[in-house]
């Protein structure tokens, strides 16, 4: 690492501009079929998401999205990355999701879809990152401890 001596604030500003110019450039990552792939996680759910240009069809575990995620709130969560990127109806999604409940699975698909969009179009990364869609929600269920009814809940106390 080269040591440079800075004599004024202008030198410091030029140094900061030089460092900012070296920011990483993200490249497009596609497979042989022209699809972008990403894995999303939330709670105990893991979603594998493939996107390719198309009419906007979404298939989750071989079923239509309206059948798999029956509640409109879950479908809205799933669509968030496409709405932020203004790409609604432009991509066909194929999703394989396992583990957890429906809420965790919808969050996992959202995370995977946001990552897959950045692999397909790296220019979308700042907008998705600003909305917090690329961040893995690290909150998971706390484990049950021995001598307790749940993770922290004790058994009911009785004096007699």
């Amino acid at each position: 690492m080269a040591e440079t001596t800075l004599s004024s604030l202008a030198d410091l500003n030029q140094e900061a501009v030089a460092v900012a110019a070296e920011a990483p450039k993200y490249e497009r990552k596609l497979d042989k079929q022209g699809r972008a792939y990403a894995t999303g996680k939330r709670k105990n759910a893991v979603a594998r998401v493939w996107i390719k240009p198309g009419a906007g069809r979404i298939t989750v575990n071989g079923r239509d999205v309206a059948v798999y995620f029956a509640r409109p709130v879950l479908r809205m969560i799933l669509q968030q990355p496409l709405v932020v990127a203004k790409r609604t109806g432009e991509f066909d999604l194929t999703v394989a999701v396992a583990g957890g409940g429906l809420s965790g699975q919808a969050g996992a698909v959202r995370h995977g879809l946001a990552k897959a969009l950045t692999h397909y179009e790296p220019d979308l990364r700042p907008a998705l990152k600003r909305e917090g869609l690329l961040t893995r929600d690290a909150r998971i269920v706390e484990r049950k401890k021995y001598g307790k009814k749940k993770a922290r809940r004790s058994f009911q106390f009785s004096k007699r």
Side-chain angles (χ1 to χ4, degrees), residues 75-104:
R75 289 196 300 272
M76 182 201 70
I77 288 171
L78 192 119
Q79 292 281 338
Q80 279 179 337
L82 294 171
V83 171
V84 168
K86 297 180 179 73
R87 299 289 189 274
T88 309
E90 292 182 21
F91 292 105
D92 287 343
L93 275 64
T94 306
V95 179
V97 64
L102 285 177
S103 175

Side-chain angles (χ1 to χ4, degrees), residues 19-114:
V19 171
E22 298 171 12
K25 299 289 182 212
Y26 294 98
E27 296 177 6
R28 199 170 184 197
K29 297 179 190 169
L30 301 178
D31 64 4
K32 291 182 179 96
Q33 287 90 22
R35 302 176 301 182
Y37 166 79
T39 304
K41 296 181 180 181
R42 170 87 169 94
K43 294 187 177 181
N44 283 332
V46 179
R48 297 178 298 151
V49 181
W50 290 268
I51 65 168
K52 63 180 179 181
R57 286 188 300 278
I58 303 174
T59 308
V60 181
N61 289 351
R63 288 187 262 170
D64 188 46
V65 70
V67 174
Y68 195 86
F69 293 115
R71 284 187 281 163
V73 174
L74 297 177
R75 289 196 300 272
M76 182 201 70
I77 288 171
L78 192 119
Q79 292 281 338
Q80 279 179 337
L82 294 171
V83 171
V84 168
K86 297 180 179 73
R87 299 289 189 274
T88 309
E90 292 182 21
F91 292 105
D92 287 343
L93 275 64
T94 306
V95 179
V97 64
L102 285 177
S103 175
Q105 287 184 351
V109 173
R110 181 182 84 161
H111 183 230
L113 176 57

